[in-house]
């Protein structure tokens, strides 16, 4: 049904004719619903003023809810490899949005989903993607509804296509989680700090428009705390970054406050020695992506860890 070869599996000899959407090995199928002949109302635009553009598509409707046990993943990290797999398999992305830009609460409940606990959608942090392609047996449509909690990521796949005998599975969990979805394991964080001298704390979440770190357990902070506990001679700088929206001085101040919030959490909740850390802010002066797109701006809003020690 879906011939997808993930870029991240190229390093381990992925064949170009792989037959499934590849999830990392730490993913598990929570629920599957198959309707051999039905319709699905596919969103094609944002919810605005009580309306949402849709297209009703018909065929074999399959919905799967997947859970990825990796608290450090952002919704951007979840959607990127899946989006690339779809593009590599000749799907055309026809609509994509994120949280408030989708229409927030109204959009979320205007889309057909599976119920908790199989599929959990955080109305404050989700992404939606719709794609289509001309398949060998007729048109195919696929949507992804992606969200996360403090413990895991969740992906709802809805596929609509021709009814065929013995269809190939939509998705499978077999890829190396580190290569597939950028999951930061303890070993990888240590390697990045020791070999590169820096890493991004990708799972952090701040209250909207605030420098306050949202309550919860963060895998990246636990890994950093373990790293610093095992290397008491190491010192690091926590450096906040923003996108380019707003004045430079304002962004520098905000980014430094966010780094400071992370520092205080590491001290109070993870027992890190304050003397091993400092907090700084760069504002929008060190982007890692283009500020011309929402995806790029989100990537630029981050807190990095930089090793400042000069001796082992």
């Amino acid at each position: 049904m879906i011939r997808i070869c993930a870029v991240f599996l190229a390093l381990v000899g992925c064949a170009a004719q792989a037959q499934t959407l590849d999830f990392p090995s730490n993913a598990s199928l929570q629920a599957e619903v198959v309707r051999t002949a039905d319709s699905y109302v596919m969103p094609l635009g944002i919810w605005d003023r009580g309306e949402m553009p849709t297209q009703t598509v018909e065929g074999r409707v399959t919905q799967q809810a997947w859970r990825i046990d990796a608290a450090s993943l952002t919704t951007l990290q979840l959607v990127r490899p899946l989006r690339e797999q779809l593009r590599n398999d000749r799907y055309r992305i026809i609509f994509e949005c994120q949280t408030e830009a989708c229409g927030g609460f109204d959009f979320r409940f205007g889309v057909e989903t599976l119920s908790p606990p199989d599929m959990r959608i955080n109305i404050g942090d989700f992404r939606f993607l719709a794609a289509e392609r001309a398949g060998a047996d007729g048109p195919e449509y696929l949507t992804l509804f992606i969200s996360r909690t403090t413990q895991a990521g969740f992906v709802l796949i809805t596929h609509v296509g021709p009814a065929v005998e013995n269809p190939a599975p939509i998705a499978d969990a077999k890829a190396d989680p580190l290569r597939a979805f950028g999951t930061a394991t303890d070993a990888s964080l240590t390697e990045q700090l020791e070999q590169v001298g820096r890493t991004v704390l990708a799972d952090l979440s701040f209250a909207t428009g605030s420098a306050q770190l949202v309550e919860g357990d963060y895998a990246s902070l636990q890994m950093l705390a373990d790293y610093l506990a095992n290397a008491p001679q190491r010192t690091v700088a926590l450096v906040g970054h923003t996108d380019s929206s707003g004045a430079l001085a304002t962004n520098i101040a905000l980014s430094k406050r966010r780094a400071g919030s992370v520092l205080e959490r590491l001290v109070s909740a993870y027992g890190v020695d304050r003397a091993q850390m400092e907090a700084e802010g760069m504002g929008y002066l060190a982007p890692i992506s283009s500020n011309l797109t929402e995806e790029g701006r989100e990537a630029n809003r981050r807190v990095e860890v930089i090793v400042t020690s000069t001796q082992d």
Side-chain angles (χ1 to χ4, degrees):
M1 182 184 301
I2 299 178
R3 178 187 55 79
I4 298 172
C5 178
V7 173
F8 49 76
L9 288 180
L11 296 175
V12 291
C14 171
Q17 281 72 39
Q19 295 298 308
T20 58
L21 189 64
D22 291 323
F23 279 87
S25 57
N26 58 333
S28 57
L29 179 63
Q30 303 295 293
E32 180 180 51
V33 175
V34 179
R35 305 191 298 270
T36 55
D38 207 344
S39 60
Y40 168 66
V41 179
M42 181 173 64
L44 291 180
I46 66 173
W47 182 285
D48 183 37
R49 300 177 185 177
E51 296 181 342
M52 179 172 67
T54 63
Q55 177 183 353
T56 300
V57 294
E58 299 178 344
R60 179 187 176 93
V61 180
T62 303
Q63 286 192 304
Q64 292 184 345
W66 287 81
R67 174 189 171 109
I68 303 173
D69 289 314
S72 63
L73 292 181
T74 65
T75 55
L76 179 61
Q77 289 173 307
L78 288 166
V79 76
R80 271 178 173 170
L82 298 175
R83 183 200 297 128
E84 288 307 306
Q85 290 184 61
L86 291 174
R87 284 174 172 163
N88 290 340
D89 196 39
R90 299 178 292 106
Y91 273 90
R92 182 174 68 93
I93 309 302
I94 55 178
F95 173 58
E96 189 170 3
C97 65
Q98 177 189 5
T99 319
E100 290 302 322
C102 296
F105 178 93
D106 292 319
F107 180 91
R108 181 262 178 269
F109 287 100
V111 180
E112 177 187 338
T113 66
L114 298 181
S115 302
D118 298 322
M119 180 63 196
R120 296 190 181 278
I121 298 177
N122 176 358
I123 61 173
D125 188 5
F126 65 80
R127 290 174 182 268
F128 182 85
L129 179 152
E132 66 177 359
R133 76 169 182 178
D137 299 301
E140 297 180 53
Y141 306 91
L142 188 143
T143 66
L144 300 174
F145 208 141
I146 295 170
S147 190
R148 71 182 180 105
T149 66
T150 56
Q151 290 79 35
F154 289 84
V155 179
L156 176 70
I157 306 171
T158 302
H159 178 269
V160 183
V164 296
E165 293 187 7
N166 302 317
I170 290 177
D172 192 15
K174 60 185 178 182
D176 173 14
L178 175 59
R179 294 190 185 279
F181 280 75
T183 305
T185 64
D186 187 26
S188 71
L189 183 140
T190 298
E191 289 171 359
Q192 289 176 52
L193 291 178
E194 289 294 300
Q195 297 176 15
V196 183
R198 58 181 291 275
T199 190
V200 176
L201 301 174
D203 60 338
L204 303 184
S205 180
F206 294 89
T208 302
S210 169
Q212 185 61 43
L213 187 62
V214 173
E215 290 298 326
D217 296 326
Y218 294 99
S220 66
L221 297 188
Q222 184 61 64
M223 295 170 197
L224 178 58
D226 293 341
Y227 170 78
L228 292 173
N230 292 327
Q233 77 282 8
R234 286 281 186 272
T235 57
V236 299
L238 302 169
V239 183
H241 299 266
T242 67
D243 61 29
S244 59
S245 302
L248 176 58
T250 301
N251 277 292
I252 289 177
L254 174 62
S255 61
K256 185 170 183 176
R257 289 199 305 273
R258 286 186 168 177
S261 180
V262 174
L263 187 152
E264 295 301 327
R265 183 68 60 85
L266 283 164
V267 172
S268 63
Y270 297 89
V272 178
D273 184 353
R274 186 184 297 272
Q276 288 183 270
M277 302 178 292
E278 59 181 307
E280 299 294 342
M282 287 290 292
Y284 56 66
L285 294 177
I288 57 174
S289 189
S290 171
N291 280 299
L292 297 177
T293 66
E294 175 55 37
E295 180 179 303
R297 291 190 293 273
E298 180 175 347
N300 289 333
R301 298 190 292 265
R302 68 198 190 278
V303 174
E304 294 187 356
V305 183
I306 299 174
V307 175
T308 56
S309 306
T310 58
Q311 295 179 346
D312 288 333

